[in-house]
Amino acid sequence: MDAAGSQVANECAQYAGQCQSGFITTQGGNLLCSKIIHLITNNQVKSQVSKVLHECEQRMYKSVAFPAIGTGQAGQSPAKVADEMLDAIVEFARQKSVQYLQTIKIVVFQTNMLTDFYESMKKRENSDSATTESWLSMLKSFFWSKKQSSEKKKPMILEKKVDLVTFQVCGQSKEKVDATESWLKDLILKEQFESTISDEAIESFDETQVAILEDLQRRKQVSIQLSPLQIKISGISRDVCSVSLEVQDMIQKIKSTEEEQSKAELLYNLVEWRYPGSNDSFVAFDKPTNMQLEHAKVVKKPYLNVKINNKNYKVDLNTLKATDDQGKTLNLQRVRKDEGK
């Protein structure tokens, strides 16, 4: 609501008492969409999605984007939500009367929920309805590519660290030798600790992260075992704790990067910034720069520094002009892809 702005908040307050179908519709405000449909919270996700889809068709909207409804404060199971949302979409797609609504998107920023939606779509792959398949393909594009890339990734083998220490115990009797051996084992075990970190982001570890883990293993008194979704760290307790913190930091950085990539991808589907190319054509900025420009525009920053063809430019976000260090000026374009939808 904060991102949408005060206009949308005022409309919600105005229409709050007029809600008859479980939702109200307002203008898009500061968001990159024409309308916002606000749902009244309940546990009937399938029913809510169906109502929204029919409302979009009735109003001749061409596209609609859903969040993972009910997985936030409502606390519903992501797997259940995925099944109900896709059930509603499949049933809607099978209706021959659908004419206007062409694109349905489910936006999932929480990477841990992607598997639930992916598995839910996999169950519908063998549907005998060509219409259903075509609608599902639009959704699969958001999840399938990521799943395939992880499946094709070569397994990472972390070099095992083995530092052997041999104790030779001599004594006057077998009893004293056994007692000393027991004392040594207890002393070693008191200093040993094991930590297991499980997270789906570990599946995204590449050569860079593996190299960091190998370096940690060399520098610290630990042994690290790496599997697709789990990292096990064992060794001296103080080193295990410090290495665990570093691994958690690596995981958080990967999650943040993936979340930024998801946001940039979503935004790129709504608005595209371009700079002049050759032969009077225009070239789209890369997706991260596209997001930076749009964010700066939305929050009303006056200027933003970007790179165009490896040269530094200062963009005036009011005039959409970019100026380099020598004073050369380029006219940029900002194209909204949702116009007319």
Side-chain angles (χ1 to χ4, degrees), residues 59-305:
R59 293 181 177 270
M60 296 184 288
Y61 297 154
K62 293 182 180 179
S63 66
V64 62
F66 290 93
I69 298 172
T71 58
Q73 293 183 351
Q76 295 197 56
S77 161
K80 172 180 175 292
V81 168
D83 285 341
E84 292 195 22
M85 292 187 74
L86 291 174
D87 282 345
I89 292 171
V90 169
E91 290 180 10
F92 179 78
R94 285 176 175 156
Q95 298 177 18
K96 302 300 182 182
S97 59
V98 176
Q99 299 179 27
Y100 302 102
L101 192 56
Q102 300 174 4
T103 304
I104 301 173
K105 298 178 182 178
I106 299 178
V107 182
V108 182
F109 286 129
Q110 304 91 329
T111 55
N112 61 307
M113 295 184 190
L114 291 175
T115 300
D116 295 305
F117 281 85
Y118 171 77
E119 293 298 333
S120 185
M121 286 186 288
K122 282 279 287 181
K123 290 187 293 187
R124 295 163 171 78
E125 273 194 297
N126 297 324
S127 170
D128 58 357
S129 168
T131 304
T132 301
E133 181 66 23
S134 67
W135 282 71
L136 282 176
S137 65
M138 289 186 280
L139 287 167
K140 284 165 65 177
S141 64
F142 286 88
F143 306 98
W144 188 269
S145 58
K146 184 169 182 177
K147 191 72 176 181
Q148 282 185 321
S149 64
S150 64
E151 289 175 350
K152 292 180 180 178
K153 188 181 297 181
K154 293 180 181 180
M156 299 294 180
I157 302 174
L158 193 63
E159 182 182 351
K160 190 174 182 180
K161 176 182 179 179
V162 180
D163 291 332
L164 296 178
V165 177
T166 302
F167 291 92
Q168 292 184 338
V169 182
C170 302
Q172 295 178 345
S173 65
K174 184 177 183 304
E175 289 76 12
K176 290 184 178 182
V177 170
D178 289 344
T180 303
E181 182 182 350
S182 178
W183 175 79
L184 283 171
K185 287 181 178 179
D186 289 342
L187 189 63
I188 292 170
L189 288 174
K190 285 178 181 179
E191 287 295 320
Q192 293 294 304
F193 187 68
E194 183 176 281
S195 174
T196 300
I197 301 172
S198 301
D199 199 292
E200 290 183 358
I202 295 172
E203 194 174 16
S204 299
F205 275 29
D206 58 18
E207 288 86 350
T208 301
Q209 284 77 37
V210 171
I212 294 173
L213 291 176
E214 288 178 337
D215 180 63
L216 287 170
Q217 189 173 240
R218 281 191 295 269
R219 291 188 292 107
K220 304 287 187 177
Q221 296 298 314
V222 296
S223 175
I224 301 175
Q225 298 178 22
L226 174 63
S227 58
L229 298 176
Q230 190 178 84
I231 294 176
K232 185 178 291 185
I233 307 163
S234 55
I236 297 177
S237 57
R238 64 175 183 273
D239 286 346
V240 170
C241 292
S242 66
V243 171
S244 296
L245 290 174
E246 293 196 48
V247 170
Q248 293 284 9
D249 186 54
M250 291 165 60
I251 290 172
Q252 188 56 49
K253 287 179 180 177
I254 286 178
K255 287 182 175 181
S256 298
T257 300
E258 290 179 347
E259 184 174 344
E260 287 300 303
Q261 290 173 346
S262 296
K263 290 179 180 179
E265 180 71 33
L266 172 63
L267 189 59
Y268 189 77
N269 291 326
L270 299 174
V271 63
E272 183 177 284
W273 285 75
R274 303 169 180 170
Y275 60 88
S278 58
N279 301 323
D280 297 326
S281 63
F282 277 80
V283 180
F285 281 95
D286 61 77
K287 292 172 184 176
T289 305
N290 187 78
M291 183 170 67
Q292 290 172 11
L293 285 164
E294 185 59 25
H295 176 72
K297 178 73 173 175
V298 170
V299 300
K300 297 181 179 180
K301 283 187 177 181
Y303 301 100
L304 182 71
N305 294 320

